């Protein structure tokens, strides 16, 4: 889907921009590619830069009001930014195209599984700066498929009888993890009969870094399971965390048995919550990898929370074009 719009801040007769993403879903840590098409307006313009912003619709919780009441809300978070074109002159009526290939953050949430949407909304927004005026122009929906290990964990949970309830992005951080983005993806699952008397639901979060995937599980904590009520995330004693390589554990990949063991630890050994159980070779993919995540993710732009969420993801076009 491509959104076209006249760059309003540049006035009537200003340049227009279309961003076209290459077909297919991207993957966390992978390459997002496409082209930015520019058409000059009725006069020459000096383009300062063309940039792409990765944005996500994120849930916010525990927003306190003057009367002490707390409400939930949502906003748009800019979680990465790339300049794809430097300074150049765009002549009147000139058409030009800027190819790009940018790397997605490893923690970019999955929006689909086997082509089926999970309810997560991501987008790529294009910014064109011309002669001191900046306009955030068109926005393209961004499709992201899970990493192989993420897909395997979800399939194993399905094979164990867990059902998908919902998925969203929660603003805040999970304490004690290597999380880098200002939000995390939470997938809520209903338990099979085997566990139904012990847990009402399971919350699942993936936190990936180069070479490793941290899986965070929690049970029975409805309505903001990781929140400490202050925008951060405490409750370390309520979390079980496990680490695997992206491609899965070494040797036979019996994902069902592996994940079932995680669930058993979660529901039967509550005293072990907060332990960092590493499956495989710790020196290769365990705590040391996650501890180094801060250095690997250097250069991440600061999060920007934008209040006006509706227009961006429900037809961000003044003229209604899709």
């Amino acid at each position: 889907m491509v959104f076209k719009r006249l760059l309003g801040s540049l006035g009537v007769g200003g340049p227009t921009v279309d961003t076209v993403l290459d077909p297919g879903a991207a993957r966390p840590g992978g390459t997002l590619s496409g082209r930015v098409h520019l058409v000059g307006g009725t006069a020459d313009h000096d383009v300062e830069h063309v940039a792409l912003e990765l944005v996500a619709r994120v849930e916010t919780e525990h927003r306190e009001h003057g009367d002490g009441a707390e409400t939930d809300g949502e906003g748009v978070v800019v979680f990465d930014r790339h300049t794809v074109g430097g300074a150049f002159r765009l002549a009147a009526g000139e058409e030009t195209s800027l190819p790009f290939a940018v790397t997605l953050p490893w923690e970019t949430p999955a929006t689909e599984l086997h082509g089926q949407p999970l309810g997560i909304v991501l987008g790529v927004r294009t910014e064109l700066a011309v002669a001191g005026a900046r306009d955030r122009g068109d926005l393209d929906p961004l499709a992201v498929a899970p990493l192989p290990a993420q897909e395997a964990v979800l399939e194993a949970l399905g094979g164990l009888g867990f059902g998908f309830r919902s998925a969203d992005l929660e603003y805040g951080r999970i304490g004690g993890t290597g999380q880098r983005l200002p939000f995390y993806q939470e997938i809520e699952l209903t338990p099979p009969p085997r566990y139904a008397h012990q847990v009402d639901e399971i919350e699942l979060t993936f936190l990936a870094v180069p070479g490793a995937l941290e899986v965070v599980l929690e049970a029975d904590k409805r309505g903001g399971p990781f929140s400490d009520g202050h925008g951060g995330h405490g409750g370390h004693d309520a979390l079980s965390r496990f680490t695997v390589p992206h491609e899965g554990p070494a040797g036979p990949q019996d994902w069902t048995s592996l994940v079932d063991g995680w669930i058993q630890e979660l529901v039967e050994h509550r005293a072990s919550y907060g332990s960092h159980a590493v499956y495989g070779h710790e020196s290769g993919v365990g705590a040391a990898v996650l501890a180094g995540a801060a250095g690997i993710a250097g250069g991440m732009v600061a999060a920007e929370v934008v209040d006006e969420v509706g227009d961006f993801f429900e037809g961000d076009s003044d003229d209604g074009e899709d």
Side-chain angles (χ1 to χ4, degrees):
M1 186 185 305
V2 178
F3 295 88
K4 293 183 178 180
R5 58 180 288 181
L6 183 68
L7 295 182
S9 67
L10 304 180
V12 176
T16 58
V17 58
D18 295 328
T19 297
V20 181
L21 303 180
D22 288 342
R27 288 186 185 271
T31 300
L32 175 69
S33 59
R35 306 182 77 87
V36 178
H37 300 292
L38 297 168
V39 179
T42 56
D44 296 351
H45 286 87
D46 291 319
V47 176
E48 297 176 354
H49 69 254
V50 180
L52 300 179
E53 294 179 333
L54 305 184
V55 300
R57 187 171 67 193
V58 177
E59 302 293 326
T60 58
E61 297 186 350
H62 301 285
R63 181 179 300 170
E64 295 189 12
H65 297 273
D67 58 1
E70 296 182 348
T71 60
D72 296 343
E74 62 182 14
V76 173
V77 173
V78 178
F79 64 93
D80 206 5
R81 178 182 171 89
H82 298 271
T83 299
V84 297
F88 64 94
R89 190 167 183 80
L90 184 64
E94 178 185 359
E95 297 185 16
T96 188
S97 182
L98 303 175
F100 63 84
V102 301
T103 301
L104 293 180
W106 281 100
E107 289 181 19
T108 302
T111 66
E112 63 179 46
L113 178 63
H114 299 308
Q116 297 299 311
L118 297 175
I120 301 299
V121 182
L122 303 180
V124 179
R125 185 168 56 192
T126 307
E127 178 185 273
L128 178 62
V130 176
R134 296 187 182 186
D135 195 293
R136 290 187 173 112
D138 66 333
L139 181 102
D140 293 276
L142 173 59
V144 179
L147 292 167
Q150 293 172 331
E151 188 173 296
V153 169
L154 290 169
E155 290 179 348
L157 287 165
L160 291 168
F162 286 86
F164 176 80
R165 174 172 283 163
S166 66
D168 62 10
L169 304 180
E170 298 286 344
Y171 192 80
R173 300 184 184 277
I174 303 175
T177 68
Q179 181 184 343
R180 301 299 302 165
L181 293 186
F183 57 82
Y184 58 92
Q185 182 173 20
E186 181 180 278
I187 300 173
E188 296 183 354
L189 304 167
T190 57
R194 174 185 174 189
Y195 293 113
H197 66 290
Q198 294 170 292
V199 297
D200 293 323
E201 68 178 15
I202 297 291
E203 290 88 16
L204 165 68
T205 294
F206 295 118
L207 298 174
V209 297
L213 174 69
E214 187 172 21
V215 182
V216 183
L217 294 170
E218 187 175 11
D220 289 329
K221 300 291 185 180
R222 295 178 182 273
F226 300 121
S227 178
D228 61 8
H230 299 285
H233 293 275
H236 295 231
D237 59 344
L239 301 179
S240 286
R241 294 156 46 207
F242 309 89
T243 304
V244 292
H246 290 163
E247 66 275 9
Q253 297 188 10
D254 186 353
W255 282 99
T256 300
S257 296
L258 174 64
V259 174
D260 193 35
W262 294 350
I263 298 298
Q264 289 182 41
E265 175 176 328
L266 179 67
V267 301
E268 296 175 5
H269 303 287
R270 305 184 71 88
S272 68
Y273 282 6
S275 66
H276 190 180
V278 178
Y279 186 92
H281 303 286
E282 181 172 351
S283 60
V285 300
V289 174
L290 294 167
I296 294 169
M300 184 72 68
V301 298
E304 175 191 354
V305 180
V306 184
D307 292 329
E308 53 275 12
V309 61
D311 291 343
F312 288 138
F313 294 102
E314 296 177 4
D316 181 31
S317 175
D318 292 341
D319 56 13
E321 292 184 44
D322 283 352

